[in-house]
């Protein structure tokens, strides 16, 4: 109704402003133009919103496409909890109210070696909570080389400011020493903070403070120390290690450095739903839990259920089944096999040439900025259709497909295709070819 009204309104304006008479108006409206305009608007509307998409961009943790896909068993548990009631904040034996994330804390402890842990909406929220709990109305000391911006609007100095903390930046962009932190400590210092430079690297003549030293400096002055780790690499028994992709610090290692709190994302290397995790000493985590901001930033039941389920899989030695992890660790030979199979599946589509070529994928989300993942891709050629236009048509297909354009061709990177999605990919390609060949 709204769409019809808005189309009619724009025609009314056009007729008045152009001063059309009856005949001119008749001519302009010929050939069902009104109906077509309404139809076009409805089509645009139907394509909007958050919905399933196929990622063949080769960027595993693609923020635009929702970062880490969760394990199917995890997705099932999340759907169940979302579509019904669940045991969230009640003890099943006594029927009394309890803490919703007690079990999560235990799982995090087992996986990271930390005494305790809690979760909030995302890692940005984790850092915000950290600032509120430890540095509100106080100083937070951070290295100049670590005043990072993540994802456009999340800048460490601004987060500090919005939490009512005063930033004390120490050292130089390329070098910061422990003495710089030591000299900046005053009576009202609330936090010593280390931030992982997730999405860039400072190379050359550089020096950063060893987290162990930062932690002991904090203890010496009774000032809490924290490390925003970002990517959240957790290794568990029975799963292949992520050390191949960039040597990101393990959460367990960060905890062992002795800092009071370590923060990281749920949906980067961990491969869980979106979340921000905070692990550390019992005392520090209790302080975070008691901060009023925690109530505003904490996870909902669906996220909590998904996170618990993911951590359980890791503890059961099934980490290799997590889709994001599997995609990140997929070897070149396996991407070749996927491509060979898909090539057979797609080659009979009319008006298309498919080749298997060597290429690189990316971890994405600043989880390992200097790392590329070697493998194979499908290079697709559609005569008469430029790769840019083909990529656009694929994005607008059902389901939407996100490919990449590189060296003036269309590339389908199957590393990021989930099992069972090949038929959908074929369907979307067929729509694009139909529309192209039909015109
Ligand atoms: C990604 C990242 C964040 C933000 O995490 P989100 O989960 O995207 O909110 C914060 N700090 C660092 C170092 C990061 O890498």
């Amino acid at each position: 109704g709204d769409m019809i009204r808005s189309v009619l309104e724009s025609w009314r304006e056009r007729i008045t402003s152009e001063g059309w008479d009856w005949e001119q108006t008749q001519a302009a409206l010929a050939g069902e133009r009104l109906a077509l305009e309404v139809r076009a608007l409805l089509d645009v509307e139907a394509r909007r919103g958050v919905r399933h998409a196929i990622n063949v961009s080769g960027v595993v943790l693609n923020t635009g496409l929702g970062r880490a896909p969760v394990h199917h068993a995890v997705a099932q548990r999340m759907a169940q909890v979302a579509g019904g009631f669940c045991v969230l904040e009640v003890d099943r034996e006594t029927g009394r109210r309890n803490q919703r994330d007690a079990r999560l804390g235990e799982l995090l402890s087992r996986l990271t070696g930390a005494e305790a842990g809690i979760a909030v909406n995302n890692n940005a929220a984790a850092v915000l909570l950290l600032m509120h709990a430890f540095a509100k109305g106080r100083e937070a000391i951070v290295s100049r080389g670590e005043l990072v911006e993540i994802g456009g609007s999340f800048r460490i100095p601004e987060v500090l400011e919005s939490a009512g903390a005063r930033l004390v930046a120490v050292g130089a962009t390329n070098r910061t020493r422990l003495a710089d932190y030591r000299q900046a400590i005053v009576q009202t210092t609330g936090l010593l903070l280390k931030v992982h430079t997730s999405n860039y690297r400072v190379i050359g003549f550089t020096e950063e403070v060893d987290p162990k030293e930062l932690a002991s400096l904090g203890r010496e002055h009774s000032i809490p120390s924290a490390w925003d780790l970002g990517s959240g690499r957790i290794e568990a028994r029975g799963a292949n290690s992520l050390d191949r992709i960039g040597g990101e610090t393990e959460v367990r290692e960060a905890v062992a450095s002795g800092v009071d709190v370590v923060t990281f994302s749920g949906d980067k290397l961990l491969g869980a739903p979106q979340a921000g995790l905070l692990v550390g000493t019992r005392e520090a985590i209790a302080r975070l839990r008691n901060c009023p901001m925690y109530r505003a930033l904490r996870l909902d039941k669906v996220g909590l259920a998904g996170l618990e389920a993911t951590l359980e899989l890791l503890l059961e030695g099934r980490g290799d089944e997590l889709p994001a992890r599997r995609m990140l660790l997929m070897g070149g030979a396996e991407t070749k096999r996927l491509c060979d199979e898909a090539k057979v599946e797609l080659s009979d589509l009319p008006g298309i040439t498919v080749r298997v070529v060597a290429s690189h994928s990316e971890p994405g989300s600043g989880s390992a900025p200097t790392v590329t993942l070697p493998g194979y891709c499908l290079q697709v050629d559609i005569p008469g259709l430029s790769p840019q236009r083909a990529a656009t048509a694929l994005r607008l297909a059902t389901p939407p497909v996100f490919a990449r354009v590189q060296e003036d061709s269309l590339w389908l990177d199957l590393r990021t295709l989930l099992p069972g999605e090949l038929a959908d990919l074929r369907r979307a390609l067929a729509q694009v070819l139909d529309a192209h060949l039909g015109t």
Side-chain angles (χ1 to χ4, degrees):
D2 285 347
M3 306 238 160
I4 296 174
R5 245 190 307 281
S6 86
V7 170
L8 286 177
E9 190 53 45
S10 81
W11 275 91
R12 200 170 286 132
E13 272 167 28
R14 237 177 294 169
I15 293 168
T16 328
S17 68
E18 315 239 327
W20 288 342
D21 62 18
W22 174 247
E23 264 165 33
Q24 283 169 309
T25 309
Q26 285 277 28
L29 281 170
E32 301 182 340
R33 279 186 56 188
L34 253 178
L36 288 176
E37 275 186 34
V38 173
R39 181 62 201 266
L41 266 186
L42 284 173
D43 281 350
V44 170
E45 189 59 24
R47 281 200 293 257
R48 297 181 63 207
V50 180
R51 63 189 58 231
H52 171 248
I54 290 186
N55 178 9
V56 281
S57 69
V59 180
V60 177
L61 304 169
N62 194 321
T63 300
L65 300 180
R67 286 207 194 145
V70 299
H71 190 277
H72 58 86
V74 174
Q76 206 169 25
R77 199 127 127 213
M78 292 171 83
Q80 235 171 18
V81 160
F85 295 102
C86 63
V87 184
L88 179 65
E89 236 177 59
V90 58
D91 185 273
R92 288 167 67 181
E93 272 175 38
T94 62
R96 291 215 191 90
R97 186 80 167 256
N98 66 2
Q99 250 173 17
R100 63 168 61 196
D101 54 1
R103 169 146 175 82
L104 175 75
E106 284 163 28
L107 297 173
L108 284 171
S109 294
R110 285 169 62 191
L111 281 164
T112 68
E115 287 175 5
I118 54 171
V120 288
N121 183 51
N122 53 23
N123 192 33
V127 176
L128 185 66
L129 176 63
L130 185 72
M131 307 289 190
H132 267 271
F134 293 102
K136 194 182 174 86
R138 295 171 156 263
E139 279 85 23
I141 307 180
V142 192
S143 159
R144 280 209 174 77
E146 299 176 358
L147 297 175
V148 305
E149 172 181 307
I150 290 139
S153 57
F154 182 80
R155 290 181 169 163
I156 291 292
E158 284 157 27
V159 177
L160 267 163
E161 193 187 335
S162 75
R166 285 182 297 276
L167 167 69
V168 179
V170 296
T173 304
N174 58 333
R175 303 193 80 179
T176 302
R177 300 179 185 83
L178 191 67
D180 297 320
Y181 279 89
R182 190 189 293 281
Q183 278 156 21
I185 290 176
V186 292
Q187 194 68 40
T188 51
T189 301
L191 184 69
L192 307 180
L193 178 65
K194 179 161 181 62
V195 184
H196 178 46
T197 57
S198 295
N199 44 12
Y200 66 99
R201 289 281 181 270
V202 180
I203 54 168
F205 186 57
T206 65
E207 183 172 344
E208 56 178 292
V209 170
D210 178 351
K212 281 199 190 80
E213 290 179 0
L214 193 68
S216 62
L217 179 67
R219 273 194 298 275
E220 195 182 306
H221 294 265
S222 301
I223 299 168
S225 55
W227 187 354
D228 175 18
L229 208 52
S231 57
R233 174 178 157 208
I234 290 186
E235 302 290 2
R237 186 181 35 82
N240 287 306
S241 160
L242 287 168
D243 58 4
R244 248 187 289 164
I245 61 156
E248 293 282 300
T249 306
E250 268 183 64
V251 176
R252 183 177 285 280
E253 210 182 309
V255 168
S257 74
V259 294
D260 296 276
V261 182
V262 176
T263 69
F264 55 98
S265 294
D267 54 353
K268 290 184 182 169
L269 294 183
L270 182 53
Q274 179 186 306
L277 290 314
L278 301 109
V279 297
T281 63
R282 216 167 276 115
E283 191 191 338
I285 299 301
R287 191 154 152 193
L288 291 163
R289 188 189 297 287
N290 292 332
C291 174
M293 279 305 272
Y294 173 60
R295 180 67 178 74
L297 300 173
R298 72 182 184 186
L299 268 186
D300 72 316
K301 61 175 183 173
V302 178
L304 197 52
L307 191 53
E308 277 187 8
T310 307
L311 299 181
E312 280 164 10
L313 285 174
L314 277 164
L315 282 165
E316 285 166 19
R318 295 170 62 188
D320 285 342
E321 289 179 32
L322 295 174
R325 232 182 145 92
R326 192 173 47 71
M327 290 171 185
L328 288 164
L329 292 176
M330 192 181 286
E334 182 164 6
T335 64
K336 175 88 165 50
R337 186 181 60 75
L338 287 177
C339 286
D340 289 339
E341 281 172 18
K343 185 178 171 202
V344 174
E345 193 77 12
L346 301 176
S347 289
D348 64 327
L349 288 167
I352 184 174
T353 322
V354 180
R355 291 192 303 143
V356 178
V357 285
S359 183
H360 291 271
S361 329
E362 282 174 48
S365 278
S367 46
T370 51
V371 175
T372 55
L373 312 167
Y376 289 81
C377 277
L378 293 180
Q379 194 182 18
V380 175
D381 186 38
I382 305 170
L385 191 63
S386 75
Q388 280 80 9
R389 289 190 40 210
T392 306
L394 278 172
R395 286 197 302 273
L396 294 173
T398 310
V401 171
F402 288 76
R404 72 170 184 260
V405 175
Q406 183 185 320
E407 295 158 23
D408 209 32
S409 18
L410 183 72
W411 297 68
L412 307 180
D413 191 327
L414 304 185
R415 177 190 295 274
T416 45
L417 191 73
L418 285 152
E421 281 185 337
L422 185 57
D424 277 343
L425 174 62
R426 189 191 147 89
R427 193 153 64 90
L429 266 172
Q431 288 163 33
V432 172
L433 293 167
D434 266 1
H436 173 56
L437 298 174
T439 55

